[in-house]
Amino acid sequence: AMLRASAKNYKWTATVVNPNKYDEVIAILKENECTIPIEKRAELAGEVYAATAYYDSLIANYFENYNKQESKQINLSLKKEYDLRYGENPHQKATLYGNFSKIFHKIHGKELSFNNIIDINASAQLISEFTEPACTIVKHTNPCGVGIGENLSAAYNKAFATDTVSPFGGIISFNRVVDLETAQTVHSIFTEVIIAPEFTDEALELLTKKKDRRLIVCDFKNIAKYNQTDARSVVGGLLTQSANLKLVDESTLKVVTNRNPTPYEYRALMFAWRVCKHVKSNAIVYTKDDATLGIGAGQMSRVDSSRIAVEKAKMMGLDLTGSVVASDAFFPFADGLLQAVEAGATAIIQPGGSVRDEEVIKAANENNIAMIFTGMRHFRH
């Protein structure tokens, strides 16, 4: 819709592309003898050029995709959704652009913060890795617990057992409809956000009793549609890459040790690998086949990440005997593997690719460890 507001004798004109401004412009014309002050004309002109630029960018992107051309420039077509109270910290300004609200619909609670949105994005991508009834608990974009079970309550209890301290103020995600039983299970803990594809009326009646808790309905079926490109701002520009949507490549997945993983170990290894993909590097994840046991994230040394994962498991009273380990990148030395052996792990999954792979494989064989090389790395910065 467009309105052309004309001044007397067509001396000045202004094009209005925002229907919400129609009444305002009409009032200005009436109050100013059919003239529009230059400040208002400049404001309206800016909105016109923004609208045409948006339209042109959609056309340019369509033809580039149609002809599969290599892009020589980025044509961003993101409309403003809303301003946030502040950014990552109170002294920073923040605004949300794009289609976030098409995927994540807040049905209860106070407005989302910048940090809420970042964590919601991380949590939803992690829970999307699972088809079984699953629960993920995320804090500062890292999972502090992941569990799968016969129902959501069982999955939550397994996820929560990994770390009973960090979930406070965290983000809980479910990949099934949250019913009253699940709501009763999580209601007592303070959480910033609960995400699910749907909530029953009974669950909502209970969960909405806490006014500050945000409840988000997520359109999980369409996450992949809006998650094709990963973009990061850098000083002076924008860094883009295709989204990390793959988990493994069957052509490069292979057992490299004398002993093959048992069926149980293989299930546990693939569970651990799904979680590890979403942990900040350096990432080390100890798991069973249905729950995380210890997570080490974001350390400069892989050995330090492993040490933290083991220590956190011990703090929670979790036994790592018979556990498996996932590492998002290769072990550069055998010490990381030996640390896992000492903790009680029996199987390891890692990308491989180190110049010392043979040394690491030898150490695994000497300790009767089954090890899988994925040939695919999952760094997350």
Side-chain angles (χ1 to χ4, degrees):
M2 183 178 294
L3 171 71
R4 181 169 294 275
S6 300
K8 277 185 177 180
N9 301 322
Y10 299 96
K11 187 176 182 181
W12 297 307
T13 62
T15 301
V16 188
V17 293
N18 182 355
N20 294 329
K21 295 284 182 73
Y22 286 178
D23 291 341
E24 179 186 354
V25 171
I26 291 171
I28 290 174
L29 289 170
K30 289 179 178 179
E31 292 171 4
N32 293 275
E33 298 182 351
C34 291
T35 63
I36 300 175
I38 189 169
E39 294 82 3
K40 177 57 67 174
R41 282 187 278 129
E43 175 189 326
L44 297 172
E47 291 185 352
V48 170
Y49 281 105
T52 55
Y54 173 74
Y55 183 66
D56 288 342
S57 69
L58 293 177
I59 297 172
N61 289 336
Y62 171 82
F63 283 112
E64 280 194 352
N65 293 331
Y66 183 85
N67 294 314
K68 298 186 178 356
Q69 298 173 347
E70 181 182 352
S71 180
K72 299 297 189 294
Q73 66 181 35
I74 296 177
N75 301 302
L76 292 177
S77 304
L78 302 175
K79 289 188 174 181
K80 177 179 176 179
E81 289 205 24
Y82 52 83
D83 290 322
L84 303 169
R85 286 177 58 201
Y86 53 80
E88 203 163 12
N89 298 290
H91 62 277
Q92 295 172 267
K93 294 182 179 179
T95 304
L96 177 63
Y97 295 90
N99 297 297
F100 182 85
S101 296
K102 287 187 177 180
I103 299 296
F104 303 99
H105 177 52
K106 181 171 70 69
I107 60 173
H108 173 75
K110 59 185 180 181
E111 64 182 288
L112 296 174
S113 70
F114 182 96
N115 293 333
N116 287 155
I117 292 171
I118 296 294
D119 283 340
I120 288 168
N121 179 64
S123 184
Q125 291 189 53
L126 171 56
I127 197 72
S128 295
E129 297 284 355
F130 298 91
T131 56
E132 315 92 322
C135 173
T136 65
I137 307 174
V138 166
K139 190 76 168 288
H140 300 304
T141 74
N142 276 308
C144 35
V146 180
I148 57 177
E150 64 277 7
N151 56 52
L152 295 185
S153 291
Y156 168 78
N157 286 329
K158 292 174 184 179
F160 184 72
T162 308
D163 184 342
T164 60
V165 177
S166 299
F168 288 87
I171 313 291
I172 299 177
S173 288
F174 296 104
N175 62 351
R176 296 285 196 281
V177 176
V178 171
D179 57 13
L180 180 58
E181 179 188 354
T182 308
Q184 290 170 334
T185 305
V186 303
H187 182 59
S188 62
I189 187 175
F190 165 66
T191 55
E192 288 279 351
V193 181
I194 299 177
I195 305 169
E198 191 178 342
F199 298 83
T200 66
D201 291 342
E202 295 81 6
L204 284 175
E205 184 178 355
L206 176 63
L207 294 173
T208 54
K209 289 181 178 179
K210 292 191 176 180
K211 302 302 181 184
D212 290 343
R213 171 191 285 150
R214 289 90 160 178
L215 301 180
I216 303 290
V217 171
C218 177
D219 181 7
F220 286 107
K221 293 180 180 178
N222 283 312
I223 279 184
K225 174 184 175 182
Y226 290 97
N227 187 35
Q228 297 298 312
T229 302
D230 179 23
R232 315 283 181 89
S233 60
V234 294
V235 175
L238 192 67
L239 192 64
T240 70
Q241 62 178 351
S242 58
N244 185 12
L245 301 178
K246 289 186 177 181
L247 182 66
V248 294
D249 182 344
E250 295 293 340
S251 67
T252 60
L253 194 70
K254 62 181 179 179
V255 178
V256 295
T257 47
N258 296 334
R259 185 172 75 80
N260 286 317
T262 66
Y264 171 85
E265 286 174 332
Y266 186 80
R267 290 195 307 272
L269 288 167
M270 297 315 297
F271 175 86
W273 190 241
R274 282 186 280 180
V275 176
C276 191
K277 174 185 171 183
H278 295 269
V279 177
K280 289 290 183 71
S281 302
N282 285 313
I284 296 289
V285 179
Y286 285 75
T287 77
K288 299 187 293 184
D289 69 337
D290 60 356
T292 48
L293 297 172
I295 299 173
Q299 299 304 302
M300 289 67 75
S301 162
R302 194 158 298 278
V303 172
D304 283 344
S305 286
S306 184
R307 175 180 53 78
I308 289 171
V310 171
E311 288 178 355
K312 293 195 75 169
K314 289 180 179 178
M315 287 171 59
M316 294 298 118
L318 300 173
D319 187 2
L320 295 181
T321 303
S323 64
V324 306
V325 178
S327 173
D328 64 340
F330 61 68
F331 285 108
F333 302 97
D335 57 354
L337 182 140
L338 294 174
Q339 191 176 37
V341 171
E342 184 179 354
T346 62
I348 291 175
I349 187 167
Q350 59 140 319
S354 168
V355 294
R356 292 184 174 84
D357 273 350
E358 290 305 317
E359 175 187 328
V360 177
I361 294 170
K362 181 174 180 291
N365 286 329
E366 289 173 350
N367 289 276
N368 197 33
I369 296 293
M371 185 160 62
I372 293 177
F373 278 6
T374 64
M376 177 179 286
R377 189 181 72 186
H378 282 307
F379 269 164
R380 187 165 180 257
H381 287 84

